[in-house]
Amino acid sequence: MVKLCRQCRLALLIFLLMLPMSLVWAAPEIMPVENIKVGMQGIGKTVVSGTKLEEFGVEVLGIMKNKGPAGDLILVRTSGDVIDQTGGIAQGMSGSPVYIDGKLVGAVAYGWSLTDHKVGMVTPIGDMLKLWDMPDNYNATMQFMKEIPDFEPMTTPLMVSGFSEHALTMLQDKLKPFNLVPQEVGEAPSDVVFAPLEPGSAVGVELVRGDVSVGALGTVTYVEDNKVLAFGHPFLKKGNIGYFMTNAYVFSTVNGLENSFKVGTMGEPVGIINQDRGAGIAGYLSRYPTIIPIRIIVKDNDTGQTQDAAVQVVKDEQLSSILSATTMFNVIDKTMDRVGPGTAKVSFEISGQNMPGGIITRENMFYSPASIGEAAVGEFLEAMTMLTGNPYNPVNLMDVKVHVSVSEERRTATIVEAQTKTPSVKPGENVEIGVKIKPFRGEPIQRSVSFAVPKDQPEGPLTLEVRGGGMVPLIQLLAKNQGVDEGLLMLSNPKPKNQDFADVVKEFMERDRNNEIVVEVLDMGMNDLFGNAALGKDKNNNKKQEKGIVENTVSLKTNIKAVNAKDNKKQGKVKNSITTDYIIDGDTQVVVNVVKAPAKK
């Protein structure tokens, strides 16, 4: 008989565990806002430390009609040991459910800074329930929250773990436009046991997870079946989204003069947040967002230290590139364990659907006298932004790989001179150009670049520009040196009209690299534009002409357009390059004489 009872209890326990949590936790009745009266008292639930649910007192002070982004707000005063401990309504308590007579009223969502932190606003649950009926087309657009006079939504703390001090500073700077202030925290204790999410539980909205974590902390308001409501106000108010929903651990709640706030960290993913709107955030348990997997390998050649990091970044047209680049900087910074000058070789590969060619690859070298880590991430950030924010079509990024090798050595070299090995050349023939470069604090080195003269090149002198791949084109430097304003400078290098996505990607992949020596035809219209003085000829005889060009901007504008008109007739700029082990700066010019090819017999 005793054994039978034990079996019955075991069977009942298994049955209860297999039930949806909403059946185990009896769903509370809902109290509509029109039934709420001044003076009513109730309780709220939240987590102020660890994962333990605690209660605090709530008294209704009034109903603020149409003051919230989704409708009415309920003015309340909070009380009790929990509120005394936190110093009032704290950041991170957003979403804390409020009950009156056992009925769910809504979620704590708003408060005042630099005033009585025990007084705040509650978003009615009726407005939050509407989030579950929103379409889920994953078509996020940037929106801004409706301003509410005199009070503000409780700021959603953005908790970051695994970031260095300098990487956190970069992240804070990049996220300023989104009103997000990341704070560094540790990881949750290894022995912590997370219970299933329920009203009052700490909940996370995670943007990056893996070897680092970036996410926002708040409180669950309501759970029904596999559906979850939280926060009571927007996170970023981006509408239909796809972010990780996680459980969360609260280290402590800190009192503050302006605002109190919870310090916590993300736990394990438990679902997806798919709605981010005025009344709060909503999502589903046991469903997960699509992500961008990123592998970052960094080697410090000076110390031999190597870091191999893997992260998952949520797909978001505004945030993915920022989060990816700052994570890359973080791995570089941690590998180097220093800040300052250095040289970096960077290569990356980005694969995706609905993008030209399906894959982008790029290699380059960078030097910075101040922060090589920041210099190294610039082109990767540009590539990610180009893809995620392109104006042509959505891109589904599938895989990203980044390799960086960095050293403190300054690997730069300056072009000292260039000479042609033959004074004359026929159209279509190659001319060899010897280029002398001087490495920083090193002896000069000779390099040779072969250049193919265009087959349709007319007879006469042909001026070739020899420059470092990262140098600004000569026409722009000359214009700037002669005092030409930026508006006219832009005319010298106009963006092609009606450029398609494939052209944009190709242009990015094929652009000159910093460690290249580039030889190209100097624009044939340069003499018309700046006179012989532009090429360093007859400087004394052309002072008046140069002054006239600077003063006569209308004439200069016309000349620039004429030069570009000639260039646009060409299929592309004629040039060639070689790769070196140095970042090349400086430029010079060489002149070859193009002679007529003998007539065919």
Side-chain angles (χ1 to χ4, degrees):
M1 185 66 179
V2 174
K3 183 178 180 181
L4 180 61
C5 290
R6 288 176 178 173
Q7 291 175 340
C8 290
R9 286 198 298 269
L10 179 59
L12 178 60
L13 177 60
I14 294 174
F15 173 73
L16 290 174
L17 290 174
M18 293 178 64
L19 286 175
M21 293 311 300
S22 59
L23 296 181
V24 178
W25 303 325
E29 293 185 53
I30 303 299
M31 179 177 289
V33 67
E34 54 267 22
N35 292 352
I36 299 173
K37 308 298 180 185
V38 175
M40 283 184 166
Q41 295 189 355
I43 62 167
K45 294 183 179 181
T46 196
V47 174
V48 295
S49 180
T51 59
K52 179 184 176 183
L53 285 178
E54 299 190 54
E55 295 184 356
F56 57 90
V58 177
E59 179 185 0
V60 176
L61 301 180
I63 306 297
M64 310 289 283
K65 290 293 184 181
N66 295 315
K67 288 294 184 180
D72 299 341
L73 291 176
I74 305 164
L75 181 65
V76 300
R77 181 185 299 279
T78 58
S79 61
D81 293 340
V82 168
I83 298 300
D84 292 338
Q85 179 183 343
T86 60
I89 300 172
Q91 296 174 8
M93 286 178 65
S94 300
S96 298
V98 174
Y99 302 87
I100 295 178
D101 296 333
K103 299 178 180 180
L104 181 59
V105 170
V108 173
Y110 299 88
W112 282 267
S113 61
L114 298 174
T115 184
D116 188 351
H117 300 328
K118 296 182 178 181
V119 175
M121 297 282 186
V122 171
T123 298
I125 187 61
D127 292 331
M128 298 182 69
L129 289 170
K130 296 174 184 177
L131 300 181
W132 285 338
D133 298 325
M134 292 286 183
D136 189 3
N137 300 318
Y138 201 83
N139 186 23
T141 55
M142 191 65 187
Q143 303 177 43
F144 296 94
M145 184 160 33
K146 175 181 174 183
E147 293 187 2
I148 306 171
D150 301 328
F151 60 95
E152 57 190 28
M154 299 306 299
T155 304
T156 306
L158 196 66
M159 302 299 171
V160 177
S161 64
F163 269 59
S164 68
E165 178 184 353
H166 298 102
L168 182 62
T169 299
M170 174 182 281
L171 185 63
Q172 290 170 339
D173 181 64
K174 296 292 185 183
L175 293 180
K176 278 182 181 178
F178 301 92
N179 293 320
L180 295 174
V181 182
Q183 303 291 336
E184 176 67 21
V185 296
E187 297 180 356
S190 58
D191 60 348
V192 66
V193 178
F194 291 103
L197 292 184
E198 61 177 298
S201 296
V203 65
V205 181
E206 197 165 31
L207 307 177
V208 182
R209 67 174 292 101
D211 289 323
V212 300
S213 174
V214 178
L217 187 67
T219 303
V220 175
T221 305
Y222 184 49
V223 179
E224 181 181 305
D225 296 325
N226 67 330
K227 299 182 293 186
V228 178
L229 294 173
F231 282 26
H233 62 65
F235 171 40
L236 295 171
K237 204 176 183 184
K238 291 172 70 70
N240 189 196
I241 57 172
Y243 298 163
F244 285 105
M245 180 196 302
T246 75
N247 45 38
Y249 181 86
V250 180
F251 294 108
S252 181
T253 303
V254 180
N255 292 342
L257 178 62
E258 184 173 353
N259 275 310
S260 300
F261 57 95
K262 291 183 181 182
V263 178
T265 190
M266 308 301 108
E268 294 301 317
V270 295
I272 181 175
I273 297 295
N274 72 324
Q275 300 294 340
D276 177 15
R277 301 184 184 272
I281 63 171
Y284 293 88
L285 297 170
S286 301
R287 299 184 192 177
Y288 301 94
T290 56
I291 50 87
I292 305 172
I294 302 179
R295 177 89 175 271
I296 304 168
I297 300 175
V298 179
K299 181 179 180 180
D300 187 330
N301 293 325
D302 298 324
T303 65
Q305 178 75 15
T306 299
Q307 293 252 359
D308 187 342
V311 297
Q312 298 175 336
V313 177
V314 297
K315 294 185 177 181
D316 183 287
E317 291 187 0
Q318 289 81 30
L319 292 175
S320 294
S321 57
I322 294 173
L323 296 170
S324 301
T326 51
T327 300
M328 173 184 170
F329 174 75
N330 179 64
V331 181
I332 295 173
D333 191 61
K334 283 196 163 186
T335 305
M336 292 170 50
D337 194 23
R338 67 176 181 85
V339 177
T343 303
K345 290 184 178 181
V346 179
S347 65
F348 56 82
E349 179 181 289
I350 305 173
S351 306
Q353 297 175 332
N354 303 321
M355 56 183 270
I359 187 169
I360 286 182
T361 58
R362 179 73 176 167
E363 294 183 2
N364 211 342
M365 282 182 69
F366 304 91
Y367 170 75
S368 171
S371 176
I372 183 55
E374 291 186 34
V377 303
E379 205 164 66
F380 175 67
L381 173 60
E382 182 183 356
M384 291 292 290
T385 302
M386 174 185 68
L387 294 174
T388 60
N390 81 83
Y392 303 98
N393 56 258
V395 169
N396 182 25
L397 298 184
M398 306 293 291
D399 188 49
V400 178
K401 296 183 179 70
V402 181
H403 291 263
V404 181
S405 67
V406 63
S407 69
E408 196 169 358
E409 180 185 8
R410 177 172 176 172
R411 298 285 296 180
T412 64
T414 302
I415 293 176
V416 176
E417 64 177 12
Q419 294 180 342
T420 58
K421 297 184 178 180
T422 54
S424 299
V425 66
K426 299 171 185 177
E429 288 185 342
N430 288 342
V431 57
E432 293 295 321
I433 302 171
V435 183
K436 182 185 290 185
I437 61 174
K438 185 183 184 304
F440 178 74
R441 293 178 180 172
E443 296 298 320
I445 300 173
Q446 195 74 22
R447 292 286 185 265
S448 181
V449 184
S450 179
F451 179 82
V453 176
K455 292 181 179 181
D456 59 352
Q457 183 67 35
E459 289 184 273
L462 173 63
T463 303
L464 300 176
E465 182 181 3
V466 183
R467 61 176 175 83
M471 295 293 294
V472 176
L474 181 60
I475 186 172
Q476 296 185 39
L477 287 175
L478 290 171
K480 186 175 182 181
N481 289 339
Q482 295 189 36
V484 180
D485 65 37
E486 285 201 20
L488 293 178
L489 271 178
M490 291 177 64
L491 289 172
S492 70
N493 189 26
K495 291 293 183 182
K497 294 182 179 180
N498 303 319
Q499 199 176 29
D500 61 27
F501 197 5
D503 290 334
V504 172
V505 172
K506 182 180 179 182
E507 183 180 277
F508 175 82
M509 292 178 62
E510 296 182 354
R511 72 164 60 151
D512 301 331
R513 294 181 290 172
N514 298 329
N515 57 326
E516 290 179 331
I517 299 174
V518 178
V519 177
E520 62 187 355
V521 175
L522 195 63
D523 292 321
M524 298 309 297
M526 189 67 74
N527 288 339
D528 298 330
L529 181 58
F530 293 108
N532 289 330
L535 300 179
K537 301 176 183 178
D538 302 326
K539 293 182 179 179
N540 294 331
N541 295 332
N542 285 281
K543 287 183 179 179
K544 293 181 180 179
Q545 181 184 7
E546 182 178 345
K547 182 179 180 183
I549 290 175
V550 174
E551 293 175 348
N552 191 349
T553 57
V554 175
S555 175
L556 181 58
K557 181 175 179 179
T558 302
N559 289 337
I560 290 175
K561 287 185 176 180
V563 171
N564 288 327
K566 292 180 182 180
D567 286 343
N568 289 338
K569 292 180 181 179
K570 302 177 183 177
Q571 294 299 316
K573 208 164 190 180
V574 181
K575 67 179 179 180
N576 193 23
S577 64
I578 62 168
T579 302
T580 75
D581 291 329
Y582 298 91
I583 297 163
I584 306 296
D585 61 29
D587 71 304
T588 188
Q589 294 82 42
V590 296
V591 179
V592 294
N593 187 38
V594 179
V595 297
K596 185 176 181 179
K600 294 182 180 180
K601 295 182 179 181

